[in-house]
Amino acid sequence: MPEASTIQSADIKERLATVRQRVEAACERAGRSADDVHLIAISKTFPLAVSKAAYDVGLKDFGENRAGDLTEKAKAWPGEHLGGDIRWHMVGHLQRNKAKDIVEHADVFHALDSPRLAKELEKRAGREGRVLRCFAQVNISGEDSKYGLNPEKTHAFLDSLAKFSHIHVVGLMGMASFVEDPEDVRHQFQLLRGLRDRYDDSQNTSVDLDFLSMGMSNDFEVAIEEGATHIRLGTAIFGPRDY
Ligand SMILES: *Cc1c(COP(=O)(O)O)cnc(C)c1O
């Protein structure tokens, strides 16, 4: 066991060094500070030992796209909300019947995309006596297969959250189309940024759009150039997944 995780740590460390160089270069091009770009290591499909190996080389934010997997991992290795020193980010679509698990175990939720889900999370978080930090997910690719709010309905959705006190929207999240050349999705990141910039959150105590969760392994540099504050990287950190 220790041997396997040592090897894994070395691999992760090497990939991470490359990622950090690329993040810095993108920040330099954009005139931004690399301190403003937070890396979430998407550990989905990998065993917990792989996240622990990543922790050993300095990573503290981990993302999962299935409520069951996040719950299982967070039970074994609790996040900040339960007193730990790491954070579990739920980045995938959430069904309402799993809202309770996420409220209990996740530190941040990136896929808030419907009034009914918001209501359920508000209720569950109230019972749990916590405020759940969320990103509202917008369907920036326009693909039917992708989850997220219709861009045109995003501001009205945010307005509707003002009455809640147990969910706090800290930013917008988007997933660009999967393309060969990331330049082809630059406009999708610009769309998300525009929605953020044009929303007046000053009267809405449930919403402070400070952050943009956008950019994955294949397109994070363009996302950073367009203002990403949270990039979600799986393959670039851990190598290829089985699916
Ligand atoms: C899997 C996943 C990622 C990371 O994907 P990579 O291409 O491996 O970097 C990011 N965000 C979400 C929502 C995901 O499901």
Side-chain angles (χ1 to χ4, degrees):
M1 271 303 274
E3 209 172 28
S5 90
T6 309
I7 292 165
Q8 196 71 45
S9 279
D11 289 346
I12 294 169
K13 195 171 178 179
E14 199 173 306
R15 290 198 197 91
L16 188 58
T18 308
V19 164
R20 292 221 159 108
Q21 279 171 9
R22 291 170 61 188
V23 167
E24 272 169 32
C27 283
E28 204 159 299
R29 286 193 296 277
R32 302 183 55 199
S33 162
D35 292 343
D36 296 334
V37 178
H38 305 280
L39 171 60
I40 301 169
I42 305 295
S43 47
K44 67 186 183 194
T45 77
F46 290 102
L48 192 57
V50 170
S51 300
K52 296 213 163 163
Y55 176 83
D56 289 342
V57 298
L59 293 177
K60 293 197 165 186
D61 287 271
F62 301 103
E64 293 288 324
N65 70 335
R66 292 184 184 171
D69 294 343
L70 185 145
T71 301
E72 199 178 306
K73 289 182 181 180
K75 274 184 177 163
W77 196 24
E80 203 170 62
H81 148 69
L82 296 169
D85 71 337
I86 58 157
R87 282 172 293 265
W88 289 106
H89 298 255
M90 171 63 179
V91 300
H93 179 68
L94 180 64
Q95 286 174 327
R96 274 183 304 149
N97 63 1
K98 305 272 174 66
K100 183 172 182 285
D101 293 334
I102 289 311
V103 163
E104 283 177 10
H105 297 285
D107 295 286
V108 188
F109 176 50
H110 290 244
L112 181 62
D113 65 355
S114 83
R116 293 168 79 202
L117 180 59
K119 202 173 157 196
E120 183 69 17
L121 288 168
E122 166 70 15
K123 183 175 88 181
R124 297 285 177 184
R127 280 188 203 165
E128 188 76 5
R130 71 174 294 201
V131 175
L132 180 67
R133 265 179 294 157
C134 300
F135 286 79
Q137 183 178 355
V138 182
N139 183 352
I140 55 173
S141 71
E143 293 163 25
D144 288 343
S145 60
K146 295 261 170 75
Y147 291 107
L149 298 154
N150 177 330
E152 286 169 19
K153 295 185 175 156
T154 299
H155 287 179
F157 172 73
L158 296 173
D159 287 344
S160 78
L161 303 177
K163 58 182 181 286
F164 294 151
S165 49
H166 298 283
I167 53 181
H168 187 215
V169 175
V170 297
L172 300 180
M173 180 276 219
M175 267 177 103
S177 310
F178 192 81
V179 289
E180 194 96 348
D181 180 358
E183 281 300 330
D184 294 344
V185 293
R186 185 180 290 277
H187 69 282
Q188 297 182 6
F189 297 132
Q190 288 170 341
L191 169 66
L192 196 69
R193 187 197 178 128
L195 285 172
R196 194 271 308 265
D197 291 347
R198 288 194 308 277
Y199 186 69
D200 177 8
D201 60 24
S202 63
Q203 303 301 314
N204 188 340
T205 54
S206 300
V207 177
D208 288 291
L209 295 188
D210 293 331
F211 301 120
L212 287 173
S213 169
M214 59 187 197
M216 303 178 22
S217 294
N218 60 313
D219 57 21
F220 69 90
E221 286 146 306
V222 173
I224 289 170
E225 288 167 16
E226 298 303 333
T229 61
H230 292 67
I231 54 174
R232 308 180 310 268
L233 306 185
T235 319
I237 303 285
F238 297 118
R241 290 180 295 272
D242 283 343
Y243 76 86

